[in-house]
Amino acid sequence: MQNPDVIVIGGGIAGASVAYELAADRTVLLLEAEPSLAMHSTGRSAATYIPGHGTATFRALIRASAARFPALAEELDAPPFLRPLTVVFTALDADGERELDALQREWSAEPDGPRPLTGAETDAACPGLRGSRAGAVVEAADADAIGLHGAYVRGLRRRGGRVVQGARVQGIARTGGGWRVETAQDSWTVPDVVAAAGAWTDRLAALAGVPGAGLQPYRRTIAISPCAVPAGMPMLIDAAERFYAKPEGDALLLSPSDETPVEPGDPRPDELDVALALERVEEALHLGLRSVRTAWAGLRTFAPDRDPVVGSRPEHPGFHFFAGHGGSGIESAPALAALGAAVVTGGPVPGDIDVTPARVSCKRLLT
């Protein structure tokens, strides 16, 4: 594959999923800077599929992905990617009530979004929870992020795509009607480049002489705390976004829902954020949480309006953004990748995806 049709840069869920979709009728080369795939956001995700989650655009993509997950599992000869999980939102104070009211106004138009609960119903829905003023519940799912990513990579190779790891891009330059992409080991000239490198996407754009999309990575801290998890406990999310907790076998996965702006890199968990997660979840659930078994941090990268960024700008045709997936990259991947492939190739958007290319175009950010 000396000169493929498309080079996708970034080996996380964004790059792997869009590369797979593009490989249906294009020759695709996937480049990953690290020695292994999915080392950053994808490999550190506490992935869930939550209807009603995120912006209106992401909610539409998540909804469109519902039927695509089982179809993909069958298509890629993989086990199911989703496992049923009940998610309960709780408002524990006035701030939480205000946020929950705002969310419920957004959810009111969602056919599969969260269902409102009274405070007493919210407490009853989550063992140990006390003091809720209001809440909501939704039937969601645990998502197998690593399984989904691996299936996409296998599917890409099955379609003739090539994956090169440890291939950090050092140069991208416009040449004639295409783009020349260089690593320390090789170079290629292609009609289309897809920058799907998460937090590093704007840096790739700068390397190519293309204005960035204003993408900002944020650190998110996660910890595992051993405890006697109550039977039937759902995932619990504070409506004011101060914590969430999810059962993980004989432990709880916890987060203070932090969003600390950082530079692209390999983030480390902050001890204060870990302590805050323990304190806030213990205050809500009274489970005797005292320690953590392990903790880590990942990156969530957002555009200024928190919608995904897909496509190129007119003065730089062939250089496509596929980024800004924030905290919804896994749960929206099947529909978002199909939409991205349609934008790159100029083909029609599948009929089950109720999101137009204009809605996610980088033109909205790069004017």
Side-chain angles (χ1 to χ4, degrees), residues 281-303:
V281 175
E282 174 60 21
E283 184 177 355
L285 291 175
H286 315 283
L287 295 175
L289 304 176
R290 295 181 178 85
S291 63
V292 298
R293 186 177 293 163
T294 187
W296 67 93
L299 295 177
R300 294 151 47 96
T301 301
F302 293 94

Side-chain angles (χ1 to χ4, degrees), residues 26-87:
R26 298 287 194 278
T27 56
V28 178
L29 172 62
L30 177 65
L31 300 179
E32 168 55 48
E34 304 290 356
S36 300
L37 300 175
M39 285 185 62
H40 296 288
S41 299
T42 302
R44 304 178 186 188
S45 173
T48 50
Y49 172 91
I50 305 178
H53 181 227
T55 66
T57 298
F58 268 118
R59 293 199 300 272
L61 291 166
I62 292 166
R63 187 165 55 248
S65 293
R68 285 177 168 264
F69 273 110
L72 269 172
E74 182 176 355
E75 184 178 312
L76 298 171
D77 300 318
F81 299 124
L82 301 181
R83 184 183 64 197
L85 173 71
T86 300
V87 174

Side-chain angles (χ1 to χ4, degrees), residues 12-231:
I13 191 65
S17 60
V18 76
Y20 169 75
E21 293 293 347
L22 286 165
D25 56 10
R26 298 287 194 278
T27 56
V28 178
L29 172 62
L30 177 65
L31 300 179
E32 168 55 48
E34 304 290 356
S36 300
L37 300 175
M39 285 185 62
H40 296 288
S41 299
T42 302
R44 304 178 186 188
S45 173
T48 50
Y49 172 91
I50 305 178
H53 181 227
T55 66
T57 298
F58 268 118
R59 293 199 300 272
L61 291 166
I62 292 166
R63 187 165 55 248
S65 293
R68 285 177 168 264
F69 273 110
L72 269 172
E74 182 176 355
E75 184 178 312
L76 298 171
D77 300 318
F81 299 124
L82 301 181
R83 184 183 64 197
L85 173 71
T86 300
V87 174
V88 171
F89 294 82
T90 179
L92 294 167
D93 55 21
D95 289 340
E97 282 187 301
R98 282 192 294 271
E99 293 299 326
L100 187 62
D101 284 344
L103 288 171
Q104 287 177 334
R105 285 193 293 273
E106 295 179 2
W107 293 335
S108 63
E110 305 295 325
D112 53 354
R115 174 175 59 84
L117 299 175
T118 66
E121 289 171 335
T122 305
D123 287 349
C126 185
L129 183 63
R130 294 196 292 268
S132 296
R133 298 189 180 192
V137 62
V138 64
E139 294 310 314
D142 246 328
D144 182 359
I146 298 302
L148 178 64
H149 177 272
Y152 270 130
V153 173
R154 292 192 302 274
L156 169 62
R157 287 176 168 142
R158 188 186 305 167
R159 286 179 166 179
R162 182 184 171 200
V163 179
V164 181
Q165 296 159 211
R168 189 174 300 277
V169 173
Q170 298 180 340
I172 308 174
R174 186 76 180 165
T175 173
W179 295 87
R180 185 172 182 81
V181 178
E182 298 179 350
T183 66
Q185 302 83 12
D186 214 334
S187 65
W188 304 264
T189 299
V190 295
D192 291 290
V193 173
V194 179
W200 289 265
T201 299
D202 271 358
R203 291 189 176 182
L204 289 173
L207 197 61
V210 176
L215 297 165
Q216 174 63 58
Y218 296 87
R219 186 181 69 225
R220 169 58 57 91
T221 303
I222 299 173
I224 300 290
S225 180
C227 71
V229 179

